[in-house]
Amino acid sequence: MFDHYEWFKKEVYRLTQIDLNYYKEKQMRRRIDTLARKNGADSYETYIDMISADKAKFKQFINFITINVSEFYRNPDQWSFLDREVIPEILKNNTGTIKIWSAACSTGDEPYSLAMAFSKHVPLSRIKILATDIDDQVIASAKAGLYSAKSVENVPADLKKKYFTQVEGSYKISDDIKRCVTFKEHNLLKDSYPKDCDLILCRNVVIYFTDDAKDMIYKNFFNTLKSKGILFIGSTEQITTYRELGFERLSSFYFRKP
């Protein structure tokens, strides 16, 4: 029986430092129950014993609950808006290094997309991207920079030709783009945030969190941005309290700090 979920949440925090209290319970519990049963567990106690003893199952659990789904230039219309409206505004307010944070970066598709998008406007030497995720496994994959044809299908043809090399059916991102990005483990719900960012990208992640957790994250994003800095969120998300948080709305997925 899958009872004692409160106990399970405490054990997960002890093992992973991931606080499931911040996640929507019904949705997350359903996902975890499905995974546990798939692994042969018949209770939370059994599943905790399983992921404590088996490193592969532990990594599977982390990857599953952090929901790592990404691709280059995901939702192309949003990236067109970035290229047309957002980047020129950022460059108007900053003639030096462009400081960007890709939060919950997953396998690196989005921070590398940001580097390529900005490369059309400024030299790569001006682009500094911090890319963070809670899952060290996906960070390792991001650092390797090797992607499937499916992952890169939305990359503009000129950028794909310039910044990718085909390697045995896969696509490898160039070292020039890699040098723009620094990867680091980070927990949005407990770790300190960087400072003075021109742009934050955090897409299709906070939808899994409670309203209180969302407000905390968005307040921290607001404080992280410079004046005139911009937050880029996912197409499945909404910030209904953006005025109360202090943001100006540029579009349904871009918000500016005054």
Side-chain angles (χ1 to χ4, degrees), residues 3-123:
D3 298 323
H4 313 125
Y5 189 64
E6 291 302 314
W7 172 86
F8 178 78
K9 287 190 291 186
K10 291 175 183 175
E11 289 299 297
V12 168
Y13 186 78
R14 179 180 64 81
L15 289 171
T16 69
Q17 296 298 294
I18 296 173
D19 190 344
L20 293 178
N21 288 307
Y22 287 117
Y23 291 77
K24 294 176 181 175
E25 182 168 316
K26 186 177 179 181
Q27 187 179 34
M28 181 56 74
R29 189 170 178 174
R30 185 173 63 247
R31 286 174 56 81
I32 291 169
D33 290 0
T34 299
L35 180 64
R37 287 192 179 97
K38 197 175 287 186
N39 279 282
D42 57 4
S43 68
Y44 290 129
E45 291 84 353
T46 304
Y47 191 50
I48 285 292
D49 289 343
M50 195 177 284
I51 63 175
S52 297
D54 189 320
K55 190 173 181 180
K57 283 185 170 56
F58 177 81
K59 286 186 175 181
Q60 179 197 44
F61 174 70
I62 295 293
N63 191 55
F64 190 78
I65 66 171
T66 53
I67 312 160
N68 294 303
V69 177
S70 192
E71 63 188 35
F72 284 83
Y73 285 82
R74 188 178 184 185
N75 306 118
D77 289 348
Q78 297 181 11
W79 290 89
S80 295
F81 189 88
L82 178 84
D83 185 66
R84 187 177 67 251
E85 303 288 342
V86 175
I87 293 177
E89 178 167 339
I90 288 173
L91 297 181
K92 183 175 66 179
N93 297 310
N94 188 341
T95 57
T97 299
I98 310 301
K99 189 174 178 182
I100 302 166
W101 180 21
S102 176
C105 69
S106 188
T107 50
D109 314 48
E110 292 187 333
Y112 289 142
S113 294
L114 284 169
M116 289 189 289
F118 273 84
S119 75
K120 295 170 63 178
H121 299 263
V122 296

Side-chain angles (χ1 to χ4, degrees), residues 4 13 19 22 38 51 55 119 123 127 130 140 142-143 148 162-163 175 196 225 231:
H4 313 125
Y13 186 78
D19 190 344
Y22 287 117
K38 197 175 287 186
I51 63 175
K55 190 173 181 180
S119 75
I127 304 166
L130 173 65
K143 287 179 178 178
S148 68
K162 185 174 184 179
Y163 292 123
D175 288 341
D196 299 323
L225 289 167
L231 172 63

Side-chain angles (χ1 to χ4, degrees), residues 197-233:
C197 290
D198 295 285
L199 173 67
I200 298 171
L201 181 147
C202 185
R203 307 174 73 212
N204 307 313
V205 174
V206 301
I207 53 171
Y208 301 104
F209 296 142
T210 64
D211 288 342
D212 287 346
K214 288 179 188 177
D215 281 346
M216 178 184 70
I217 290 168
Y218 287 139
K219 284 174 185 174
N220 285 334
F221 283 158
F222 184 87
N223 292 332
T224 291
L225 289 167
K226 295 177 180 176
S227 177
K228 306 300 182 185
I230 292 171
L231 172 63
F232 178 8
I233 67 171

